[in-house]
């Protein structure tokens, strides 16, 4: 049995777990618990009765992800995008590099927010992480 791909694993942790964390917190789940991506991962494994995800094939893992997407959509009112879907849960307003920091202004739920991350240049992955941290802290 072939294990899941690196890209699918990155999508799971970077999109499904990060955004489902925001969905759970937005729906009243404990911020302290559901801000931790490892605890969100454990929550989904328990909820879906999946003792481990590490040995799932790509197909099995996709089915697991689709279950999480369905729950978030039906019960939490939160859409989780599919892989390669060009969708953001926020609107980027500006991104300014100030030498050591990158200052990001964005709109989420009609509210202007700011995130700052350390980087010598604009870094999309660090930007997404900083924005998700800021959203979690403000919902």
């Amino acid at each position: 049995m072939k294990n899941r791909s690196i890209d699918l694993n990155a999508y799971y942790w970077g999109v499904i777990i990060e955004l489902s964390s925001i969905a759970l917190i937005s729906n009243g789940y404990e911020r302290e618990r559901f801000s931790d991506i490892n605890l969100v991962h454990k929550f989904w494994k328990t909820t879906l009765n999946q003792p481990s995800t590490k040995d799932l094939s790509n197909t099995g893992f996709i089915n697991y992800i689709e279950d999480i997407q369905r729950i978030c959509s039906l019960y939490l009112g939160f859409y989780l995008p599919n892989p390669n879907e060009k969708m953001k849960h926020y609107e980027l307003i500006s991104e300014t590099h100030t030498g050591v920091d990158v200052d990001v202004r964005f709109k989420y739920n009609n509210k202007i927010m700011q995130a700052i991350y350390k980087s010598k240049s604009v870094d999309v992955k660090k930007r997404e992480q900083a924005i998700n941290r800021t959203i979690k802290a403000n919902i």
Side-chain angles (χ1 to χ4, degrees), residues 67-94:
D67 288 342
I68 295 170
Q69 289 175 305
R70 264 190 295 285
I71 291 170
C72 283
S73 179
L74 291 172
Y75 299 104
L76 302 176
F78 205 92
Y79 177 77
L80 301 180
N82 293 313
N84 302 320
E85 188 174 341
K86 303 293 184 211
M87 180 188 159
K88 299 231 181 290
H89 59 288
Y90 62 87
E91 177 186 341
L92 187 63
I93 296 171
S94 68

Side-chain angles (χ1 to χ4, degrees), residues 23-65:
L24 290 162
I25 294 168
S26 295
N27 279 274
Y29 286 77
E30 304 166 52
R31 177 184 311 280
E32 296 76 28
R33 179 175 178 208
F34 291 97
S35 290
D36 182 329
I37 61 170
N38 291 309
L39 293 178
V40 174
H41 172 63
K42 286 182 183 181
F43 170 81
W44 288 121
K45 288 192 319 181
T46 302
T47 300
L48 297 170
N49 198 25
Q50 180 66 51
S52 175
T53 60
K54 67 181 178 181
D55 294 325
L56 290 174
S57 66
N58 274 345
T59 302
F61 199 56
I62 288 169
N63 290 337
Y64 173 73
I65 287 171

Side-chain angles (χ1 to χ4, degrees), residues 5-19:
S5 70
I6 293 170
D7 287 343
L8 188 56
N9 195 55
Y11 162 73
Y12 173 72
W13 287 98
V15 175
I16 296 299
I17 293 299
E18 284 288 343
L19 295 183

Side-chain angles (χ1 to χ4, degrees), residues 91-122:
E91 177 186 341
L92 187 63
I93 296 171
S94 68
E95 188 166 34
T96 309
H97 186 260
T98 61
V100 178
D101 294 332
V102 179
D103 182 344
V104 181
R105 308 275 173 161
F106 63 98
K107 187 175 184 179
Y108 175 78
N109 279 352
N110 295 318
K111 183 178 176 185
I112 304 295
M113 296 184 169
Q114 176 185 25
I116 297 175
Y117 64 92
K118 301 267 185 223
S119 184
K120 293 179 183 176
S121 62
V122 171

